[in-house]
Protein backbone atom coordinates (compact mmCIF):
# COMPACT_ATOMS: atom_id res chain seq x y z
CA UNK A 1 0.00 0.00 0.00
CA UNK A 2 1.42 3.37 -0.96
CA UNK A 3 -0.62 5.66 1.27
CA UNK A 4 2.41 6.45 3.44
CA UNK A 5 4.79 6.87 0.48
CA UNK A 6 5.57 10.50 -0.34
CA UNK A 7 7.12 12.52 -3.13
CA UNK A 8 8.89 15.69 -2.04
CA UNK A 9 9.48 18.40 -4.63
CA UNK A 10 13.17 19.15 -5.02
CA UNK A 11 14.35 15.91 -3.40
CA UNK A 12 15.15 12.83 -5.45
CA UNK A 13 13.47 9.54 -4.66
CA UNK A 14 10.44 8.49 -2.69
CA UNK A 15 10.01 8.71 1.05
CA UNK A 16 8.14 6.77 3.70
CA UNK A 17 6.32 8.83 6.32
CA UNK A 18 7.57 7.81 9.78
CA UNK A 19 6.29 10.47 12.14
CA UNK A 20 4.74 13.89 12.39
CA UNK A 21 6.58 16.44 14.47
CA UNK A 22 5.45 19.85 15.67
CA UNK A 23 6.75 21.73 12.62
CA UNK A 24 7.97 18.93 10.38
CA UNK A 25 7.35 15.46 9.03
CA UNK A 26 9.97 12.80 9.65
CA UNK A 27 10.52 10.79 6.48
CA UNK A 28 12.83 8.00 5.37
CA UNK A 29 14.14 7.54 1.83
CA UNK A 30 12.88 4.14 0.67
CA UNK A 31 16.11 3.39 -1.21
CA UNK A 32 18.83 4.67 1.14
CA UNK A 33 16.89 4.39 4.44
CA UNK A 34 18.24 7.84 5.36
CA UNK A 35 15.91 9.76 7.69
CA UNK A 36 15.31 13.49 7.53
CA UNK A 37 12.74 16.13 8.37
CA UNK A 38 10.57 17.95 5.85
CA UNK A 39 9.26 21.40 6.60
CA UNK A 40 5.99 23.17 5.79
CA UNK A 41 7.54 25.17 2.93
CA UNK A 42 8.36 21.96 1.02
CA UNK A 43 5.72 20.50 -1.29
CA UNK A 44 4.94 16.99 -0.05
CA UNK A 45 2.34 14.76 -1.69
CA UNK A 46 1.27 11.19 -1.02
CA UNK A 47 1.36 8.89 -4.04
CA UNK A 48 -2.11 7.68 -3.06
CA UNK A 49 -3.47 11.20 -3.70
CA UNK A 50 -2.13 11.46 -7.26
CA UNK A 51 -4.33 10.75 -10.27
CA UNK A 52 -3.67 10.51 -13.99
CA UNK A 53 -5.89 11.81 -16.77
CA UNK A 54 -7.83 9.29 -18.82
CA UNK A 55 -10.53 9.73 -21.44
CA UNK A 56 -13.14 8.76 -18.84
CA UNK A 57 -11.96 10.94 -15.93
CA UNK A 58 -9.06 10.65 -13.52
CA UNK A 59 -7.62 7.28 -12.51
CA UNK A 60 -5.88 6.96 -9.11
CA UNK A 61 -2.16 6.24 -9.18
CA UNK A 62 -2.46 3.06 -7.06
CA UNK A 63 -4.71 1.50 -9.72
CA UNK A 64 -2.31 2.52 -12.49
CA UNK A 65 0.64 1.07 -10.57
CA UNK A 66 -1.28 -2.21 -10.16
CA UNK A 67 -1.76 -2.36 -13.94
CA UNK A 68 1.91 -1.53 -14.59
CA UNK A 69 2.96 -4.23 -12.12
CA UNK A 70 0.74 -6.81 -13.83
CA UNK A 71 1.91 -5.81 -17.33
CA UNK A 72 5.60 -5.83 -16.35
CA UNK A 73 5.10 -9.10 -14.42
CA UNK A 74 6.61 -7.56 -11.29
CA UNK A 75 9.88 -6.63 -12.98
CA UNK A 76 11.48 -3.20 -13.23
CA UNK A 77 10.94 -1.23 -16.42
CA UNK A 78 14.08 -0.08 -18.27
CA UNK A 79 13.07 3.46 -19.19
CA UNK A 80 16.36 4.08 -21.00
CA UNK A 81 15.58 1.24 -23.42
CA UNK A 82 12.91 3.35 -25.08
CA UNK A 83 14.55 5.11 -28.01
CA UNK A 84 11.94 7.84 -28.40
CA UNK A 85 9.06 9.52 -26.65
CA UNK A 86 6.66 7.81 -29.06
CA UNK A 87 7.89 4.37 -27.97
CA UNK A 88 7.38 5.08 -24.27
CA UNK A 89 3.92 6.50 -24.96
CA UNK A 90 3.00 3.43 -27.03
CA UNK A 91 4.20 1.13 -24.25
CA UNK A 92 2.14 3.06 -21.69
CA UNK A 93 -0.80 2.88 -24.10
CA UNK A 94 -0.60 -0.92 -23.92
CA UNK A 95 -1.01 -0.68 -20.14
CA UNK A 96 -3.59 2.13 -19.98
CA UNK A 97 -5.22 2.28 -23.42
CA UNK A 98 -7.54 5.17 -22.55
CA UNK A 99 -4.97 7.57 -21.05
CA UNK A 100 -5.48 11.17 -22.21
CA UNK A 101 -2.78 11.58 -24.85
CA UNK A 102 -3.16 15.38 -24.83
CA UNK A 103 -2.86 16.01 -21.10
CA UNK A 104 -0.47 13.23 -20.02
CA UNK A 105 3.06 14.25 -20.98
CA UNK A 106 5.96 11.90 -21.65
CA UNK A 107 7.73 13.28 -18.57
CA UNK A 108 4.74 12.19 -16.47
CA UNK A 109 5.03 8.65 -17.84
CA UNK A 110 8.79 8.58 -17.21
CA UNK A 111 8.22 9.76 -13.61
CA UNK A 112 5.53 7.10 -13.14
CA UNK A 113 7.90 4.37 -14.36
CA UNK A 114 10.69 5.77 -12.17
CA UNK A 115 8.43 5.67 -9.10
CA UNK A 116 7.29 2.16 -10.02
CA UNK A 117 10.91 0.99 -10.28
CA UNK A 118 11.78 2.55 -6.90
CA UNK A 119 8.77 0.93 -5.23
CA UNK A 120 9.54 -2.51 -6.69
CA UNK A 121 13.22 -2.19 -5.71
CA UNK A 122 12.14 -1.37 -2.14
CA UNK A 123 9.90 -4.45 -2.07
CA UNK A 124 6.64 -2.50 -2.14
CA UNK A 125 4.37 -4.37 -4.52
CA UNK A 126 0.93 -3.82 -2.97
CA UNK A 127 -0.25 -0.48 -4.22
CA UNK A 128 -3.90 -0.44 -3.13
CA UNK A 129 -5.32 -0.71 0.36
CA UNK A 130 -6.81 -4.14 0.96
CA UNK A 131 -9.45 -2.84 3.41
CA UNK A 132 -11.03 -0.63 0.77
CA UNK A 133 -11.12 -3.48 -1.73
CA UNK A 134 -12.66 -5.80 0.86
CA UNK A 135 -15.27 -3.16 1.76
CA UNK A 136 -16.20 -2.75 -1.92
CA UNK A 137 -16.47 -6.54 -2.32
CA UNK A 138 -18.70 -6.77 0.78
CA UNK A 139 -20.91 -3.93 -0.50
CA UNK A 140 -21.23 -5.62 -3.91
CA UNK A 141 -22.18 -8.91 -2.22
CA UNK A 142 -24.83 -7.16 -0.09
CA UNK A 143 -26.23 -5.41 -3.16
CA UNK A 144 -26.43 -8.73 -5.02
CA UNK A 145 -28.22 -10.34 -2.06
CA UNK A 146 -30.72 -7.46 -1.89
CA UNK A 147 -31.41 -7.72 -5.61
CA UNK A 148 -31.87 -11.49 -5.35
CA UNK A 149 -34.39 -11.07 -2.52
CA UNK A 150 -36.37 -8.42 -4.40
Amino acid sequence: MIKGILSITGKPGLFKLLSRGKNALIVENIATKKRMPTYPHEKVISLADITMYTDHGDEPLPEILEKVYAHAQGKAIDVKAFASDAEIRDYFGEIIPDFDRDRVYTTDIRKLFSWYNQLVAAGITEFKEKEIEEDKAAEAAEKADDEAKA
Side-chain angles (χ1 to χ4, degrees):
M1 132 178 97
I2 63 170
K3 188 171 186 146
I5 305 297
L6 309 172
S7 172
I8 303 170
T9 302
K11 296 187 180 189
L14 294 173
F15 300 87
K16 183 177 183 180
L17 177 63
L18 297 178
S19 176
R20 298 173 192 261
K22 187 175 183 179
N23 290 323
L25 299 175
I26 307 301
V27 297
E28 177 181 77
N29 186 303
I30 64 170
T32 64
K33 305 295 184 200
K34 181 179 175 186
R35 294 180 180 191
M36 61 190 190
T38 62
Y39 299 102
H41 69 275
E42 295 175 305
K43 185 176 179 184
V44 178
I45 189 162
S46 170
L47 295 189
D49 295 335
I50 297 173
T51 60
M52 192 168 264
Y53 298 117
T54 65
D55 294 333
H56 307 291
D58 295 348
E59 188 164 346
L61 190 66
E63 290 181 19
I64 291 174
L65 288 169
E66 287 282 337
K67 291 176 182 178
V68 171
Y69 184 76
H71 190 268
Q73 300 172 344
K75 298 176 183 157
I77 297 171
D78 186 11
V79 179
K80 294 179 181 178
F82 297 105
S84 67
D85 289 351
E87 282 185 25
I88 198 167
R89 293 177 73 79
D90 289 343
Y91 181 76
F92 188 65
E94 293 173 14
I95 301 168
I96 312 289
D98 66 336
F99 83 95
D100 190 332
R101 296 178 193 289
D102 295 330
R103 297 194 293 176
V104 176
Y105 300 110
T106 306
T107 55
D108 299 332
I109 298 169
R110 288 184 190 280
K111 180 169 276 194
L112 170 74
F113 289 160
S114 170
W115 286 345
Y116 166 79
N117 289 340
Q118 291 175 49
L119 290 167
V120 168
I124 301 169
T125 57
E126 289 188 25
F127 305 110
K128 292 192 230 176
E129 289 188 59
K130 292 233 183 265
E131 298 169 10
I132 293 173
E133 291 178 22
E134 290 170 3
D135 290 344
K136 286 182 181 177
E139 287 175 17
E142 286 178 23
K143 193 181 267 188
D145 287 341
D146 292 342
E147 289 174 1
K149 291 176 184 176

